[in-house]
mmCIF file with all atom_site columns, all heavy atoms in Angstrom:
data_model
loop_
_atom_site.group_PDB
_atom_site.id
_atom_site.type_symbol
_atom_site.label_atom_id
_atom_site.label_alt_id
_atom_site.label_comp_id
_atom_site.label_asym_id
_atom_site.label_entity_id
_atom_site.label_seq_id
_atom_site.pdbx_PDB_ins_code
_atom_site.Cartn_x
_atom_site.Cartn_y
_atom_site.Cartn_z
_atom_site.occupancy
_atom_site.B_iso_or_equiv
_atom_site.pdbx_formal_charge
_atom_site.auth_seq_id
_atom_site.auth_comp_id
_atom_site.auth_asym_id
_atom_site.auth_atom_id
_atom_site.pdbx_PDB_model_num
ATOM 1  N N   . ALA A 1 48 ? 120.487 93.077 106.610 1.00 96.00 ? 1354 ALA A N   1
ATOM 2  C CA  . ALA A 1 48 ? 120.712 91.652 106.332 1.00 96.00 ? 1354 ALA A CA  1
ATOM 3  C C   . ALA A 1 48 ? 121.190 90.951 107.596 1.00 96.00 ? 1354 ALA A C   1
ATOM 4  O O   . ALA A 1 48 ? 120.742 89.841 107.904 1.00 96.00 ? 1354 ALA A O   1
ATOM 5  C CB  . ALA A 1 48 ? 121.725 91.490 105.201 1.00 96.00 ? 1354 ALA A CB  1
ATOM 6  N N   . GLU A 1 49 ? 122.085 91.616 108.341 1.00 96.00 ? 1355 GLU A N   1
ATOM 7  C CA  . GLU A 1 49 ? 122.584 91.046 109.591 1.00 96.00 ? 1355 GLU A CA  1
ATOM 8  C C   . GLU A 1 49 ? 121.468 91.009 110.642 1.00 96.00 ? 1355 GLU A C   1
ATOM 9  O O   . GLU A 1 49 ? 121.252 89.995 111.305 1.00 96.00 ? 1355 GLU A O   1
ATOM 10 C CB  . GLU A 1 49 ? 123.755 91.889 110.138 1.00 96.00 ? 1355 GLU A CB  1
ATOM 11 C CG  . GLU A 1 49 ? 124.927 92.028 109.190 1.00 96.00 ? 1355 GLU A CG  1
ATOM 12 C CD  . GLU A 1 49 ? 125.851 90.825 109.160 1.00 96.00 ? 1355 GLU A CD  1
ATOM 13 O OE1 . GLU A 1 49 ? 125.788 90.011 110.090 1.00 96.00 ? 1355 GLU A OE1 1
ATOM 14 O OE2 . GLU A 1 49 ? 126.626 90.711 108.193 1.00 96.00 ? 1355 GLU A OE2 1
ATOM 15 N N   . ASP A 1 50 ? 120.753 92.131 110.775 1.00 96.00 ? 1356 ASP A N   1
ATOM 16 C CA  . ASP A 1 50 ? 119.700 92.255 111.792 1.00 96.00 ? 1356 ASP A CA  1
ATOM 17 C C   . ASP A 1 50 ? 118.575 91.243 111.595 1.00 96.00 ? 1356 ASP A C   1
ATOM 18 O O   . ASP A 1 50 ? 117.981 90.775 112.551 1.00 96.00 ? 1356 ASP A O   1
ATOM 19 C CB  . ASP A 1 50 ? 119.082 93.666 111.768 1.00 96.00 ? 1356 ASP A CB  1
ATOM 20 C CG  . ASP A 1 50 ? 120.088 94.755 112.141 1.00 96.00 ? 1356 ASP A CG  1
ATOM 21 O OD1 . ASP A 1 50 ? 121.195 94.420 112.618 1.00 96.00 ? 1356 ASP A OD1 1
ATOM 22 O OD2 . ASP A 1 50 ? 119.757 95.938 111.947 1.00 96.00 ? 1356 ASP A OD2 1
ATOM 23 N N   . TYR A 1 51 ? 118.264 90.957 110.331 1.00 97.00 ? 1357 TYR A N   1
ATOM 24 C CA  . TYR A 1 51 ? 117.112 90.102 110.032 1.00 97.00 ? 1357 TYR A CA  1
ATOM 25 C C   . TYR A 1 51 ? 117.500 88.699 109.575 1.00 97.00 ? 1357 TYR A C   1
ATOM 26 O O   . TYR A 1 51 ? 116.660 87.960 109.060 1.00 97.00 ? 1357 TYR A O   1
ATOM 27 C CB  . TYR A 1 51 ? 116.209 90.778 108.986 1.00 97.00 ? 1357 TYR A CB  1
ATOM 28 C CG  . TYR A 1 51 ? 115.411 91.904 109.594 1.00 97.00 ? 1357 TYR A CG  1
ATOM 29 C CD1 . TYR A 1 51 ? 115.945 93.182 109.690 1.00 97.00 ? 1357 TYR A CD1 1
ATOM 30 C CD2 . TYR A 1 51 ? 114.147 91.681 110.122 1.00 97.00 ? 1357 TYR A CD2 1
ATOM 31 C CE1 . TYR A 1 51 ? 115.243 94.214 110.278 1.00 97.00 ? 1357 TYR A CE1 1
ATOM 32 C CE2 . TYR A 1 51 ? 113.427 92.710 110.714 1.00 97.00 ? 1357 TYR A CE2 1
ATOM 33 C CZ  . TYR A 1 51 ? 113.976 93.971 110.791 1.00 97.00 ? 1357 TYR A CZ  1
ATOM 34 O OH  . TYR A 1 51 ? 113.266 94.985 111.385 1.00 97.00 ? 1357 TYR A OH  1
ATOM 35 N N   . ALA A 1 52 ? 118.764 88.337 109.762 1.00 95.00 ? 1358 ALA A N   1
ATOM 36 C CA  . ALA A 1 52 ? 119.215 86.998 109.378 1.00 95.00 ? 1358 ALA A CA  1
ATOM 37 C C   . ALA A 1 52 ? 118.306 85.960 110.032 1.00 95.00 ? 1358 ALA A C   1
ATOM 38 O O   . ALA A 1 52 ? 118.028 86.032 111.225 1.00 95.00 ? 1358 ALA A O   1
ATOM 39 C CB  . ALA A 1 52 ? 120.666 86.802 109.802 1.00 95.00 ? 1358 ALA A CB  1
ATOM 40 N N   . GLY A 1 53 ? 117.788 85.037 109.219 1.00 95.00 ? 1359 GLY A N   1
ATOM 41 C CA  . GLY A 1 53 ? 116.906 84.000 109.731 1.00 95.00 ? 1359 GLY A CA  1
ATOM 42 C C   . GLY A 1 53 ? 115.436 84.381 109.699 1.00 95.00 ? 1359 GLY A C   1
ATOM 43 O O   . GLY A 1 53 ? 114.562 83.528 109.713 1.00 95.00 ? 1359 GLY A O   1
ATOM 44 N N   . LYS A 1 54 ? 115.151 85.700 109.654 1.00 97.00 ? 1360 LYS A N   1
ATOM 45 C CA  . LYS A 1 54 ? 113.753 86.155 109.639 1.00 97.00 ? 1360 LYS A CA  1
ATOM 46 C C   . LYS A 1 54 ? 113.321 86.634 108.261 1.00 97.00 ? 1360 LYS A C   1
ATOM 47 O O   . LYS A 1 54 ? 112.150 86.564 107.903 1.00 97.00 ? 1360 LYS A O   1
ATOM 48 C CB  . LYS A 1 54 ? 113.554 87.307 110.638 1.00 97.00 ? 1360 LYS A CB  1
ATOM 49 C CG  . LYS A 1 54 ? 113.691 86.868 112.087 1.00 97.00 ? 1360 LYS A CG  1
ATOM 50 C CD  . LYS A 1 54 ? 113.390 88.013 113.034 1.00 97.00 ? 1360 LYS A CD  1
ATOM 51 C CE  . LYS A 1 54 ? 114.603 88.905 113.164 1.00 97.00 ? 1360 LYS A CE  1
ATOM 52 N NZ  . LYS A 1 54 ? 114.557 89.833 114.292 1.00 97.00 ? 1360 LYS A NZ  1
ATOM 53 N N   . ALA A 1 55 ? 114.301 87.158 107.515 1.00 97.00 ? 1361 ALA A N   1
ATOM 54 C CA  . ALA A 1 55 ? 114.012 87.686 106.177 1.00 97.00 ? 1361 ALA A CA  1
ATOM 55 C C   . ALA A 1 55 ? 115.264 87.513 105.321 1.00 97.00 ? 1361 ALA A C   1
ATOM 56 O O   . ALA A 1 55 ? 116.356 87.332 105.841 1.00 97.00 ? 1361 ALA A O   1
ATOM 57 C CB  . ALA A 1 55 ? 113.635 89.162 106.254 1.00 97.00 ? 1361 ALA A CB  1
ATOM 58 N N   . VAL A 1 56 ? 115.068 87.567 104.021 1.00 97.00 ? 1362 VAL A N   1
ATOM 59 C CA  . VAL A 1 56 ? 116.183 87.490 103.073 1.00 97.00 ? 1362 VAL A CA  1
ATOM 60 C C   . VAL A 1 56 ? 116.435 88.904 102.563 1.00 97.00 ? 1362 VAL A C   1
ATOM 61 O O   . VAL A 1 56 ? 115.485 89.640 102.275 1.00 97.00 ? 1362 VAL A O   1
ATOM 62 C CB  . VAL A 1 56 ? 115.832 86.550 101.891 1.00 97.00 ? 1362 VAL A CB  1
ATOM 63 C CG1 . VAL A 1 56 ? 116.951 86.536 100.855 1.00 97.00 ? 1362 VAL A CG1 1
ATOM 64 C CG2 . VAL A 1 56 ? 115.540 85.153 102.400 1.00 97.00 ? 1362 VAL A CG2 1
ATOM 65 N N   . VAL A 1 57 ? 117.689 89.295 102.479 1.00 97.00 ? 1363 VAL A N   1
ATOM 66 C CA  . VAL A 1 57 ? 118.041 90.602 101.939 1.00 97.00 ? 1363 VAL A CA  1
ATOM 67 C C   . VAL A 1 57 ? 118.969 90.372 100.753 1.00 97.00 ? 1363 VAL A C   1
ATOM 68 O O   . VAL A 1 57 ? 119.970 89.672 100.870 1.00 97.00 ? 1363 VAL A O   1
ATOM 69 C CB  . VAL A 1 57 ? 118.721 91.495 103.005 1.00 97.00 ? 1363 VAL A CB  1
ATOM 70 C CG1 . VAL A 1 57 ? 119.199 92.805 102.387 1.00 97.00 ? 1363 VAL A CG1 1
ATOM 71 C CG2 . VAL A 1 57 ? 117.762 91.760 104.164 1.00 97.00 ? 1363 VAL A CG2 1
ATOM 72 N N   . GLY A 1 58 ? 118.589 90.936 99.608  1.00 98.00 ? 1364 GLY A N   1
ATOM 73 C CA  . GLY A 1 58 ? 119.380 90.734 98.398  1.00 98.00 ? 1364 GLY A CA  1
ATOM 74 C C   . GLY A 1 58 ? 119.598 92.017 97.632  1.00 98.00 ? 1364 GLY A C   1
ATOM 75 O O   . GLY A 1 58 ? 118.898 93.008 97.837  1.00 98.00 ? 1364 GLY A O   1
ATOM 76 N N   . LYS A 1 59 ? 120.586 91.969 96.736  1.00 98.00 ? 1365 LYS A N   1
ATOM 77 C CA  . LYS A 1 59 ? 120.903 93.131 95.902  1.00 98.00 ? 1365 LYS A CA  1
ATOM 78 C C   . LYS A 1 59 ? 120.965 92.709 94.437  1.00 98.00 ? 1365 LYS A C   1
ATOM 79 O O   . LYS A 1 59 ? 121.489 91.644 94.124  1.00 98.00 ? 1365 LYS A O   1
ATOM 80 C CB  . LYS A 1 59 ? 122.241 93.738 96.312  1.00 98.00 ? 1365 LYS A CB  1
ATOM 81 C CG  . LYS A 1 59 ? 122.238 94.330 97.720  1.00 98.00 ? 1365 LYS A CG  1
ATOM 82 C CD  . LYS A 1 59 ? 123.570 94.976 98.045  1.00 98.00 ? 1365 LYS A CD  1
ATOM 83 C CE  . LYS A 1 59 ? 123.553 95.557 99.449  1.00 98.00 ? 1365 LYS A CE  1
ATOM 84 N NZ  . LYS A 1 59 ? 124.785 96.289 99.759  1.00 98.00 ? 1365 LYS A NZ  1
#
Side-chain angles (χ1 to χ4, degrees):
E1355 302 280 343
D1356 296 349
Y1357 285 86
K1360 292 184 279 195
V1362 176
V1363 175
K1365 295 183 180 185

